[in-house]
Amino acid sequence: MKRDEEMIVYLIILIGAAWLVQSILGFVQIRHFNKKYAEMRALGRVAIGKRTGMFRAGTVVMFCIDKRNKILKAAKMQGVTVFSRVRELKGFEGKYLLKISEEDFKGVDKLTRLAITDALRSYDIISKGGELQVKKGWIDYLIPSKK
């Protein structure tokens, strides 16, 4: 019986260590994203779109735009792990955000296309003075909020 108890303790320690490593790597990833966002924000306004994937790669796109909505810089972060990093999104610089066409989507994967569409929708709502609706996550369904 003592052997079984030791195995359970080791399993709990292993799970705790894995959670700690995951948390640290997630923090590093968020810090990297925030740094890239701040760099883009220093150049102008930033439109952000996202497409989350439950079992597939999630994608976040950022477009830095000037006062006339011309794209100065485009970047995306895509992946399923905490090792995903923000990388340049080529082919959009110099185009106008609100005039992105189907032609501009050539060579762009489906999740990136959906994230770009979300960025356009979000920008349109905010530019008209609206507020974005926060999508409920699974935790919101488990723990209902009190209003």
Side-chain angles (χ1 to χ4, degrees), residues 44-50 63-71 96-100 115-132:
R45 296 174 297 155
V46 179
I48 298 177
K50 65 183 183 331
F63 293 105
C64 177
I65 56 176
D66 66 10
K67 291 178 183 176
R68 297 181 316 148
N69 296 331
K70 186 175 183 181
I71 299 171
Y96 288 89
L97 183 67
L98 300 177
K99 294 183 180 179
I100 292 177
I116 292 170
T117 303
D118 183 58
L120 296 172
R121 183 188 61 78
S122 298
Y123 179 77
D124 186 50
I125 291 170
I126 289 172
S127 67
K128 291 178 179 172
E131 287 188 29
L132 297 176

PDB file of all heavy atoms in Angstrom, residues 44-50 63-71 96-100 115-132:
ATOM      1  N   GLY A  44       1.127  53.723 -34.563  1.00  0.00           N
ATOM      2  CA  GLY A  44      -0.225  54.176 -34.898  1.00  0.00           C
ATOM      3  C   GLY A  44      -1.269  53.335 -34.190  1.00  0.00           C
ATOM      4  O   GLY A  44      -0.980  52.618 -33.240  1.00  0.00           O
ATOM      5  N   ARG A  45      -2.491  53.423 -34.696  1.00  0.00           N
ATOM      6  CA  ARG A  45      -3.582  52.621 -34.127  1.00  0.00           C
ATOM      7  C   ARG A  45      -3.410  51.165 -34.535  1.00  0.00           C
ATOM      8  O   ARG A  45      -2.804  50.868 -35.566  1.00  0.00           O
ATOM      9  CB  ARG A  45      -4.929  53.134 -34.633  1.00  0.00           C
ATOM     10  CG  ARG A  45      -5.211  54.552 -34.179  1.00  0.00           C
ATOM     11  CD  ARG A  45      -6.468  55.102 -34.794  1.00  0.00           C
ATOM     12  NE  ARG A  45      -6.291  55.179 -36.246  1.00  0.00           N
ATOM     13  CZ  ARG A  45      -7.284  55.154 -37.126  1.00  0.00           C
ATOM     14  NH1 ARG A  45      -8.520  55.073 -36.719  1.00  0.00           N
ATOM     15  NH2 ARG A  45      -7.037  55.244 -38.416  1.00  0.00           N
ATOM     16  N   VAL A  46      -3.954  50.259 -33.724  1.00  0.00           N
ATOM     17  CA  VAL A  46      -3.806  48.831 -34.006  1.00  0.00           C
ATOM     18  C   VAL A  46      -5.178  48.164 -34.001  1.00  0.00           C
ATOM     19  O   VAL A  46      -5.925  48.276 -33.029  1.00  0.00           O
ATOM     20  CB  VAL A  46      -2.884  48.142 -32.974  1.00  0.00           C
ATOM     21  CG1 VAL A  46      -2.756  46.650 -33.274  1.00  0.00           C
ATOM     22  CG2 VAL A  46      -1.509  48.793 -32.960  1.00  0.00           C
ATOM     23  N   ALA A  47      -5.500  47.491 -35.102  1.00  0.00           N
ATOM     24  CA  ALA A  47      -6.723  46.694 -35.200  1.00  0.00           C
ATOM     25  C   ALA A  47      -6.322  45.246 -34.944  1.00  0.00           C
ATOM     26  O   ALA A  47      -5.377  44.741 -35.545  1.00  0.00           O
ATOM     27  CB  ALA A  47      -7.348  46.839 -36.578  1.00  0.00           C
ATOM     28  N   ILE A  48      -7.046  44.594 -34.026  1.00  0.00           N
ATOM     29  CA  ILE A  48      -6.720  43.222 -33.655  1.00  0.00           C
ATOM     30  C   ILE A  48      -7.913  42.324 -33.930  1.00  0.00           C
ATOM     31  O   ILE A  48      -9.055  42.682 -33.652  1.00  0.00           O
ATOM     32  CB  ILE A  48      -6.353  43.125 -32.156  1.00  0.00           C
ATOM     33  CG1 ILE A  48      -5.118  43.959 -31.856  1.00  0.00           C
ATOM     34  CG2 ILE A  48      -6.121  41.679 -31.745  1.00  0.00           C
ATOM     35  CD1 ILE A  48      -4.725  43.984 -30.396  1.00  0.00           C
ATOM     36  N   GLY A  49      -7.631  41.164 -34.478  1.00  0.00           N
ATOM     37  CA  GLY A  49      -8.663  40.153 -34.708  1.00  0.00           C
ATOM     38  C   GLY A  49      -8.149  38.811 -34.247  1.00  0.00           C
ATOM     39  O   GLY A  49      -6.945  38.562 -34.250  1.00  0.00           O
ATOM     40  N   LYS A  50      -9.082  37.943 -33.854  1.00  0.00           N
ATOM     41  CA  LYS A  50      -8.657  36.630 -33.385  1.00  0.00           C
ATOM     42  C   LYS A  50      -9.613  35.552 -33.850  1.00  0.00           C
ATOM     43  O   LYS A  50     -10.774  35.805 -34.127  1.00  0.00           O
ATOM     44  CB  LYS A  50      -8.534  36.611 -31.873  1.00  0.00           C
ATOM     45  CG  LYS A  50      -9.826  36.817 -31.123  1.00  0.00           C
ATOM     46  CD  LYS A  50      -9.544  36.847 -29.629  1.00  0.00           C
ATOM     47  CE  LYS A  50     -10.706  36.981 -28.720  1.00  0.00           C
ATOM     48  NZ  LYS A  50     -11.894  37.626 -29.057  1.00  0.00           N
ATOM     49  N   PHE A  63      -3.038  44.700 -37.114  1.00  0.00           N
ATOM     50  CA  PHE A  63      -2.740  45.622 -38.200  1.00  0.00           C
ATOM     51  C   PHE A  63      -2.483  46.987 -37.598  1.00  0.00           C
ATOM     52  O   PHE A  63      -3.355  47.560 -36.957  1.00  0.00           O
ATOM     53  CB  PHE A  63      -3.918  45.741 -39.181  1.00  0.00           C
ATOM     54  CG  PHE A  63      -4.196  44.494 -39.967  1.00  0.00           C
ATOM     55  CD1 PHE A  63      -5.280  43.698 -39.659  1.00  0.00           C
ATOM     56  CD2 PHE A  63      -3.372  44.136 -41.007  1.00  0.00           C
ATOM     57  CE1 PHE A  63      -5.542  42.556 -40.388  1.00  0.00           C
ATOM     58  CE2 PHE A  63      -3.617  42.994 -41.742  1.00  0.00           C
ATOM     59  CZ  PHE A  63      -4.711  42.192 -41.428  1.00  0.00           C
ATOM     60  N   CYS A  64      -1.296  47.524 -37.819  1.00  0.00           N
ATOM     61  CA  CYS A  64      -0.981  48.888 -37.400  1.00  0.00           C
ATOM     62  C   CYS A  64      -1.383  49.784 -38.555  1.00  0.00           C
ATOM     63  O   CYS A  64      -0.944  49.575 -39.691  1.00  0.00           O
ATOM     64  CB  CYS A  64       0.507  49.021 -37.108  1.00  0.00           C
ATOM     65  SG  CYS A  64       0.973  50.700 -36.667  1.00  0.00           S
ATOM     66  N   ILE A  65      -2.240  50.776 -38.274  1.00  0.00           N
ATOM     67  CA  ILE A  65      -2.762  51.642 -39.331  1.00  0.00           C
ATOM     68  C   ILE A  65      -2.521  53.118 -39.002  1.00  0.00           C
ATOM     69  O   ILE A  65      -2.421  53.493 -37.843  1.00  0.00           O
ATOM     70  CB  ILE A  65      -4.272  51.400 -39.560  1.00  0.00           C
ATOM     71  CG1 ILE A  65      -5.055  51.577 -38.266  1.00  0.00           C
ATOM     72  CG2 ILE A  65      -4.513  50.036 -40.168  1.00  0.00           C
ATOM     73  CD1 ILE A  65      -6.555  51.443 -38.405  1.00  0.00           C
ATOM     74  N   ASP A  66      -2.437  53.907 -40.060  1.00  0.00           N
ATOM     75  CA  ASP A  66      -2.277  55.348 -39.863  1.00  0.00           C
ATOM     76  C   ASP A  66      -3.653  56.010 -39.801  1.00  0.00           C
ATOM     77  O   ASP A  66      -4.682  55.336 -39.763  1.00  0.00           O
ATOM     78  CB  ASP A  66      -1.386  55.956 -40.953  1.00  0.00           C
ATOM     79  CG  ASP A  66      -1.996  55.907 -42.341  1.00  0.00           C
ATOM     80  OD1 ASP A  66      -3.199  55.578 -42.479  1.00  0.00           O
ATOM     81  OD2 ASP A  66      -1.274  56.199 -43.308  1.00  0.00           O
ATOM     82  N   LYS A  67      -3.680  57.343 -39.849  1.00  0.00           N
ATOM     83  CA  LYS A  67      -4.944  58.084 -39.722  1.00  0.00           C
ATOM     84  C   LYS A  67      -5.891  57.856 -40.892  1.00  0.00           C
ATOM     85  O   LYS A  67      -7.093  58.033 -40.760  1.00  0.00           O
ATOM     86  CB  LYS A  67      -4.653  59.576 -39.569  1.00  0.00           C
ATOM     87  CG  LYS A  67      -4.007  59.911 -38.260  1.00  0.00           C
ATOM     88  CD  LYS A  67      -3.686  61.380 -38.149  1.00  0.00           C
ATOM     89  CE  LYS A  67      -2.974  61.622 -36.821  1.00  0.00           C
ATOM     90  NZ  LYS A  67      -2.543  63.003 -36.672  1.00  0.00           N
ATOM     91  N   ARG A  68      -5.340  57.441 -42.019  1.00  0.00           N
ATOM     92  CA  ARG A  68      -6.182  57.187 -43.206  1.00  0.00           C
ATOM     93  C   ARG A  68      -6.493  55.702 -43.366  1.00  0.00           C
ATOM     94  O   ARG A  68      -6.932  55.272 -44.423  1.00  0.00           O
ATOM     95  CB  ARG A  68      -5.495  57.729 -44.450  1.00  0.00           C
ATOM     96  CG  ARG A  68      -5.310  59.249 -44.398  1.00  0.00           C
ATOM     97  CD  ARG A  68      -4.654  59.805 -45.636  1.00  0.00           C
ATOM     98  NE  ARG A  68      -3.515  58.986 -46.063  1.00  0.00           N
ATOM     99  CZ  ARG A  68      -3.132  58.826 -47.326  1.00  0.00           C
ATOM    100  NH1 ARG A  68      -3.777  59.434 -48.275  1.00  0.00           N
ATOM    101  NH2 ARG A  68      -2.100  58.067 -47.624  1.00  0.00           N
ATOM    102  N   ASN A  69      -6.207  54.909 -42.338  1.00  0.00           N
ATOM    103  CA  ASN A  69      -6.448  53.461 -42.311  1.00  0.00           C
ATOM    104  C   ASN A  69      -5.539  52.669 -43.252  1.00  0.00           C
ATOM    105  O   ASN A  69      -5.857  51.552 -43.644  1.00  0.00           O
ATOM    106  CB  ASN A  69      -7.909  53.112 -42.594  1.00  0.00           C
ATOM    107  CG  ASN A  69      -8.832  53.649 -41.538  1.00  0.00           C
ATOM    108  OD1 ASN A  69      -8.449  53.805 -40.381  1.00  0.00           O
ATOM    109  ND2 ASN A  69     -10.059  53.945 -41.917  1.00  0.00           N
ATOM    110  N   LYS A  70      -4.397  53.258 -43.600  1.00  0.00           N
ATOM    111  CA  LYS A  70      -3.408  52.561 -44.416  1.00  0.00           C
ATOM    112  C   LYS A  70      -2.595  51.657 -43.494  1.00  0.00           C
ATOM    113  O   LYS A  70      -2.142  52.081 -42.426  1.00  0.00           O
ATOM    114  CB  LYS A  70      -2.488  53.558 -45.112  1.00  0.00           C
ATOM    115  CG  LYS A  70      -1.534  52.939 -46.085  1.00  0.00           C
ATOM    116  CD  LYS A  70      -0.749  54.019 -46.804  1.00  0.00           C
ATOM    117  CE  LYS A  70       0.168  53.431 -47.833  1.00  0.00           C
ATOM    118  NZ  LYS A  70       0.936  54.485 -48.515  1.00  0.00           N
ATOM    119  N   ILE A  71      -2.415  50.420 -43.894  1.00  0.00           N
ATOM    120  CA  ILE A  71      -1.703  49.445 -43.071  1.00  0.00           C
ATOM    121  C   ILE A  71      -0.203  49.717 -43.136  1.00  0.00           C
ATOM    122  O   ILE A  71       0.406  49.665 -44.203  1.00  0.00           O
ATOM    123  CB  ILE A  71      -2.020  48.002 -43.517  1.00  0.00           C
ATOM    124  CG1 ILE A  71      -3.517  47.728 -43.362  1.00  0.00           C
ATOM    125  CG2 ILE A  71      -1.196  46.991 -42.721  1.00  0.00           C
ATOM    126  CD1 ILE A  71      -3.991  46.419 -43.953  1.00  0.00           C
ATOM    127  N   TYR A  96      -5.191  49.493 -47.692  1.00  0.00           N
ATOM    128  CA  TYR A  96      -6.093  50.166 -46.768  1.00  0.00           C
ATOM    129  C   TYR A  96      -6.938  49.119 -46.051  1.00  0.00           C
ATOM    130  O   TYR A  96      -7.525  48.237 -46.699  1.00  0.00           O
ATOM    131  CB  TYR A  96      -6.956  51.186 -47.502  1.00  0.00           C
ATOM    132  CG  TYR A  96      -6.143  52.380 -47.929  1.00  0.00           C
ATOM    133  CD1 TYR A  96      -5.497  52.398 -49.156  1.00  0.00           C
ATOM    134  CD2 TYR A  96      -5.978  53.460 -47.070  1.00  0.00           C
ATOM    135  CE1 TYR A  96      -4.718  53.474 -49.529  1.00  0.00           C
ATOM    136  CE2 TYR A  96      -5.194  54.547 -47.433  1.00  0.00           C
ATOM    137  CZ  TYR A  96      -4.568  54.540 -48.663  1.00  0.00           C
ATOM    138  OH  TYR A  96      -3.781  55.611 -49.020  1.00  0.00           O
ATOM    139  N   LEU A  97      -6.982  49.223 -44.745  1.00  0.00           N
ATOM    140  CA  LEU A  97      -7.640  48.213 -43.914  1.00  0.00           C
ATOM    141  C   LEU A  97      -9.063  47.921 -44.366  1.00  0.00           C
ATOM    142  O   LEU A  97      -9.445  46.773 -44.509  1.00  0.00           O
ATOM    143  CB  LEU A  97      -7.637  48.659 -42.441  1.00  0.00           C
ATOM    144  CG  LEU A  97      -8.227  47.651 -41.452  1.00  0.00           C
ATOM    145  CD1 LEU A  97      -7.337  46.414 -41.363  1.00  0.00           C
ATOM    146  CD2 LEU A  97      -8.389  48.269 -40.082  1.00  0.00           C
ATOM    147  N   LEU A  98      -9.839  48.954 -44.600  1.00  0.00           N
ATOM    148  CA  LEU A  98     -11.250  48.760 -44.942  1.00  0.00           C
ATOM    149  C   LEU A  98     -11.467  48.379 -46.399  1.00  0.00           C
ATOM    150  O   LEU A  98     -12.596  48.151 -46.822  1.00  0.00           O
ATOM    151  CB  LEU A  98     -12.043  50.017 -44.590  1.00  0.00           C
ATOM    152  CG  LEU A  98     -11.983  50.400 -43.109  1.00  0.00           C
ATOM    153  CD1 LEU A  98     -12.726  51.698 -42.856  1.00  0.00           C
ATOM    154  CD2 LEU A  98     -12.536  49.287 -42.235  1.00  0.00           C
ATOM    155  N   LYS A  99     -10.375  48.292 -47.155  1.00  0.00           N
ATOM    156  CA  LYS A  99     -10.485  47.922 -48.572  1.00  0.00           C
ATOM    157  C   LYS A  99      -9.779  46.604 -48.875  1.00  0.00           C
ATOM    158  O   LYS A  99      -9.441  46.337 -50.023  1.00  0.00           O
ATOM    159  CB  LYS A  99      -9.942  49.043 -49.446  1.00  0.00           C
ATOM    160  CG  LYS A  99     -10.789  50.303 -49.353  1.00  0.00           C
ATOM    161  CD  LYS A  99     -10.283  51.371 -50.271  1.00  0.00           C
ATOM    162  CE  LYS A  99     -11.175  52.604 -50.132  1.00  0.00           C
ATOM    163  NZ  LYS A  99     -10.729  53.690 -50.982  1.00  0.00           N
ATOM    164  N   ILE A 100      -9.571  45.793 -47.848  1.00  0.00           N
ATOM    165  CA  ILE A 100      -8.984  44.467 -48.070  1.00  0.00           C
ATOM    166  C   ILE A 100     -10.000  43.646 -48.866  1.00  0.00           C
ATOM    167  O   ILE A 100     -11.171  43.570 -48.504  1.00  0.00           O
ATOM    168  CB  ILE A 100      -8.630  43.778 -46.740  1.00  0.00           C
ATOM    169  CG1 ILE A 100      -7.473  44.529 -46.065  1.00  0.00           C
ATOM    170  CG2 ILE A 100      -8.266  42.320 -46.964  1.00  0.00           C
ATOM    171  CD1 ILE A 100      -7.095  43.984 -44.702  1.00  0.00           C
ATOM    172  N   ALA A 115      -9.461  35.433 -38.746  1.00  0.00           N
ATOM    173  CA  ALA A 115      -8.949  36.413 -37.782  1.00  0.00           C
ATOM    174  C   ALA A 115      -8.928  37.812 -38.409  1.00  0.00           C
ATOM    175  O   ALA A 115      -9.254  38.800 -37.746  1.00  0.00           O
ATOM    176  CB  ALA A 115      -7.554  36.013 -37.306  1.00  0.00           C
ATOM    177  N   ILE A 116      -8.557  37.905 -39.684  1.00  0.00           N
ATOM    178  CA  ILE A 116      -8.550  39.197 -40.380  1.00  0.00           C
ATOM    179  C   ILE A 116      -9.982  39.728 -40.480  1.00  0.00           C
ATOM    180  O   ILE A 116     -10.233  40.913 -40.238  1.00  0.00           O
ATOM    181  CB  ILE A 116      -7.904  39.073 -41.774  1.00  0.00           C
ATOM    182  CG1 ILE A 116      -6.398  38.792 -41.628  1.00  0.00           C
ATOM    183  CG2 ILE A 116      -8.149  40.333 -42.608  1.00  0.00           C
ATOM    184  CD1 ILE A 116      -5.713  38.407 -42.922  1.00  0.00           C
ATOM    185  N   THR A 117     -10.917  38.856 -40.806  1.00  0.00           N
ATOM    186  CA  THR A 117     -12.325  39.247 -40.874  1.00  0.00           C
ATOM    187  C   THR A 117     -12.801  39.764 -39.517  1.00  0.00           C
ATOM    188  O   THR A 117     -13.534  40.754 -39.440  1.00  0.00           O
ATOM    189  CB  THR A 117     -13.192  38.062 -41.343  1.00  0.00           C
ATOM    190  OG1 THR A 117     -12.705  37.605 -42.605  1.00  0.00           O
ATOM    191  CG2 THR A 117     -14.648  38.445 -41.467  1.00  0.00           C
ATOM    192  N   ASP A 118     -12.358  39.118 -38.437  1.00  0.00           N
ATOM    193  CA  ASP A 118     -12.713  39.563 -37.087  1.00  0.00           C
ATOM    194  C   ASP A 118     -12.103  40.933 -36.796  1.00  0.00           C
ATOM    195  O   ASP A 118     -12.753  41.786 -36.181  1.00  0.00           O
ATOM    196  CB  ASP A 118     -12.255  38.536 -36.050  1.00  0.00           C
ATOM    197  CG  ASP A 118     -12.668  38.922 -34.645  1.00  0.00           C
ATOM    198  OD1 ASP A 118     -13.878  39.098 -34.395  1.00  0.00           O
ATOM    199  OD2 ASP A 118     -11.766  39.042 -33.790  1.00  0.00           O
ATOM    200  N   ALA A 119     -10.877  41.156 -37.246  1.00  0.00           N
ATOM    201  CA  ALA A 119     -10.231  42.464 -37.042  1.00  0.00           C
ATOM    202  C   ALA A 119     -11.008  43.556 -37.771  1.00  0.00           C
ATOM    203  O   ALA A 119     -11.226  44.646 -37.220  1.00  0.00           O
ATOM    204  CB  ALA A 119      -8.781  42.431 -37.534  1.00  0.00           C
ATOM    205  N   LEU A 120     -11.458  43.275 -38.981  1.00  0.00           N
ATOM    206  CA  LEU A 120     -12.232  44.251 -39.748  1.00  0.00           C
ATOM    207  C   LEU A 120     -13.562  44.542 -39.064  1.00  0.00           C
ATOM    208  O   LEU A 120     -13.981  45.697 -38.957  1.00  0.00           O
ATOM    209  CB  LEU A 120     -12.469  43.750 -41.173  1.00  0.00           C
ATOM    210  CG  LEU A 120     -11.224  43.582 -42.038  1.00  0.00           C
ATOM    211  CD1 LEU A 120     -11.574  42.896 -43.349  1.00  0.00           C
ATOM    212  CD2 LEU A 120     -10.556  44.909 -42.287  1.00  0.00           C
ATOM    213  N   ARG A 121     -14.230  43.499 -38.583  1.00  0.00           N
ATOM    214  CA  ARG A 121     -15.503  43.664 -37.884  1.00  0.00           C
ATOM    215  C   ARG A 121     -15.307  44.459 -36.600  1.00  0.00           C
ATOM    216  O   ARG A 121     -16.055  45.394 -36.316  1.00  0.00           O
ATOM    217  CB  ARG A 121     -16.111  42.296 -37.572  1.00  0.00           C
ATOM    218  CG  ARG A 121     -17.485  42.362 -36.907  1.00  0.00           C
ATOM    219  CD  ARG A 121     -17.952  40.992 -36.440  1.00  0.00           C
ATOM    220  NE  ARG A 121     -17.064  40.400 -35.461  1.00  0.00           N
ATOM    221  CZ  ARG A 121     -17.022  40.741 -34.175  1.00  0.00           C
ATOM    222  NH1 ARG A 121     -17.815  41.672 -33.707  1.00  0.00           N
ATOM    223  NH2 ARG A 121     -16.185  40.146 -33.348  1.00  0.00           N
ATOM    224  N   SER A 122     -14.292  44.097 -35.825  1.00  0.00           N
ATOM    225  CA  SER A 122     -14.016  44.795 -34.562  1.00  0.00           C
ATOM    226  C   SER A 122     -13.686  46.262 -34.809  1.00  0.00           C
ATOM    227  O   SER A 122     -14.173  47.142 -34.093  1.00  0.00           O
ATOM    228  CB  SER A 122     -12.852  44.127 -33.833  1.00  0.00           C
ATOM    229  OG  SER A 122     -13.168  42.806 -33.504  1.00  0.00           O
ATOM    230  N   TYR A 123     -12.863  46.530 -35.810  1.00  0.00           N
ATOM    231  CA  TYR A 123     -12.497  47.909 -36.126  1.00  0.00           C
ATOM    232  C   TYR A 123     -13.734  48.702 -36.526  1.00  0.00           C
ATOM    233  O   TYR A 123     -13.918  49.849 -36.112  1.00  0.00           O
ATOM    234  CB  TYR A 123     -11.442  47.961 -37.231  1.00  0.00           C
ATOM    235  CG  TYR A 123     -11.082  49.376 -37.590  1.00  0.00           C
ATOM    236  CD1 TYR A 123     -10.239  50.114 -36.770  1.00  0.00           C
ATOM    237  CD2 TYR A 123     -11.630  49.994 -38.700  1.00  0.00           C
ATOM    238  CE1 TYR A 123      -9.931  51.439 -37.068  1.00  0.00           C
ATOM    239  CE2 TYR A 123     -11.336  51.298 -39.000  1.00  0.00           C
ATOM    240  CZ  TYR A 123     -10.478  52.023 -38.189  1.00  0.00           C
ATOM    241  OH  TYR A 123     -10.195  53.330 -38.478  1.00  0.00           O
ATOM    242  N   ASP A 124     -14.599  48.104 -37.334  1.00  0.00           N
ATOM    243  CA  ASP A 124     -15.813  48.777 -37.781  1.00  0.00           C
ATOM    244  C   ASP A 124     -16.705  49.135 -36.588  1.00  0.00           C
ATOM    245  O   ASP A 124     -17.212  50.257 -36.497  1.00  0.00           O
ATOM    246  CB  ASP A 124     -16.575  47.883 -38.765  1.00  0.00           C
ATOM    247  CG  ASP A 124     -17.771  48.580 -39.373  1.00  0.00           C
ATOM    248  OD1 ASP A 124     -17.624  49.712 -39.866  1.00  0.00           O
ATOM    249  OD2 ASP A 124     -18.866  47.986 -39.340  1.00  0.00           O
ATOM    250  N   ILE A 125     -16.892  48.215 -35.657  1.00  0.00           N
ATOM    251  CA  ILE A 125     -17.728  48.458 -34.476  1.00  0.00           C
ATOM    252  C   ILE A 125     -17.148  49.577 -33.626  1.00  0.00           C
ATOM    253  O   ILE A 125     -17.849  50.513 -33.237  1.00  0.00           O
ATOM    254  CB  ILE A 125     -17.879  47.160 -33.640  1.00  0.00           C
ATOM    255  CG1 ILE A 125     -18.735  46.141 -34.396  1.00  0.00           C
ATOM    256  CG2 ILE A 125     -18.494  47.458 -32.268  1.00  0.00           C
ATOM    257  CD1 ILE A 125     -18.740  44.750 -33.779  1.00  0.00           C
ATOM    258  N   ILE A 126     -15.854  49.520 -33.349  1.00  0.00           N
ATOM    259  CA  ILE A 126     -15.212  50.510 -32.474  1.00  0.00           C
ATOM    260  C   ILE A 126     -15.165  51.887 -33.153  1.00  0.00           C
ATOM    261  O   ILE A 126     -15.402  52.903 -32.511  1.00  0.00           O
ATOM    262  CB  ILE A 126     -13.817  50.038 -32.050  1.00  0.00           C
ATOM    263  CG1 ILE A 126     -13.973  48.867 -31.072  1.00  0.00           C
ATOM    264  CG2 ILE A 126     -13.012  51.152 -31.414  1.00  0.00           C
ATOM    265  CD1 ILE A 126     -12.709  48.170 -30.702  1.00  0.00           C
ATOM    266  N   SER A 127     -14.892  51.923 -34.456  1.00  0.00           N
ATOM    267  CA  SER A 127     -14.815  53.216 -35.148  1.00  0.00           C
ATOM    268  C   SER A 127     -16.167  53.924 -35.196  1.00  0.00           C
ATOM    269  O   SER A 127     -16.223  55.137 -35.322  1.00  0.00           O
ATOM    270  CB  SER A 127     -14.252  53.049 -36.556  1.00  0.00           C
ATOM    271  OG  SER A 127     -15.149  52.315 -37.361  1.00  0.00           O
ATOM    272  N   LYS A 128     -17.251  53.157 -35.059  1.00  0.00           N
ATOM    273  CA  LYS A 128     -18.588  53.750 -35.039  1.00  0.00           C
ATOM    274  C   LYS A 128     -19.058  54.049 -33.614  1.00  0.00           C
ATOM    275  O   LYS A 128     -20.210  54.379 -33.395  1.00  0.00           O
ATOM    276  CB  LYS A 128     -19.580  52.820 -35.728  1.00  0.00           C
ATOM    277  CG  LYS A 128     -19.353  52.724 -37.223  1.00  0.00           C
ATOM    278  CD  LYS A 128     -20.310  51.762 -37.862  1.00  0.00           C
ATOM    279  CE  LYS A 128     -20.062  51.705 -39.363  1.00  0.00           C
ATOM    280  NZ  LYS A 128     -20.842  50.646 -39.995  1.00  0.00           N
ATOM    281  N   GLY A 129     -18.147  53.882 -32.638  1.00  0.00           N
ATOM    282  CA  GLY A 129     -18.480  54.200 -31.249  1.00  0.00           C
ATOM    283  C   GLY A 129     -19.121  53.062 -30.479  1.00  0.00           C
ATOM    284  O   GLY A 129     -19.554  53.255 -29.347  1.00  0.00           O
ATOM    285  N   GLY A 130     -19.161  51.884 -31.055  1.00  0.00           N
ATOM    286  CA  GLY A 130     -19.773  50.735 -30.382  1.00  0.00           C
ATOM    287  C   GLY A 130     -18.802  50.035 -29.450  1.00  0.00           C
ATOM    288  O   GLY A 130     -17.633  50.417 -29.333  1.00  0.00           O
ATOM    289  N   GLU A 131     -19.306  49.018 -28.781  1.00  0.00           N
ATOM    290  CA  GLU A 131     -18.478  48.205 -27.887  1.00  0.00           C
ATOM    291  C   GLU A 131     -18.500  46.763 -28.363  1.00  0.00           C
ATOM    292  O   GLU A 131     -19.531  46.266 -28.813  1.00  0.00           O
ATOM    293  CB  GLU A 131     -19.013  48.264 -26.453  1.00  0.00           C
ATOM    294  CG  GLU A 131     -18.754  49.584 -25.772  1.00  0.00           C
ATOM    295  CD  GLU A 131     -19.133  49.537 -24.295  1.00  0.00           C
ATOM    296  OE1 GLU A 131     -19.056  48.451 -23.691  1.00  0.00           O
ATOM    297  OE2 GLU A 131     -19.511  50.585 -23.777  1.00  0.00           O
ATOM    298  N   LEU A 132     -17.371  46.106 -28.222  1.00  0.00           N
ATOM    299  CA  LEU A 132     -17.284  44.702 -28.599  1.00  0.00           C
ATOM    300  C   LEU A 132     -17.943  43.835 -27.531  1.00  0.00           C
ATOM    301  O   LEU A 132     -17.792  44.089 -26.345  1.00  0.00           O
ATOM    302  CB  LEU A 132     -15.824  44.283 -28.764  1.00  0.00           C
ATOM    303  CG  LEU A 132     -15.042  44.991 -29.866  1.00  0.00           C
ATOM    304  CD1 LEU A 132     -13.601  44.538 -29.853  1.00  0.00           C
ATOM    305  CD2 LEU A 132     -15.660  44.722 -31.216  1.00  0.00           C
TER     306      LEU A 132
END
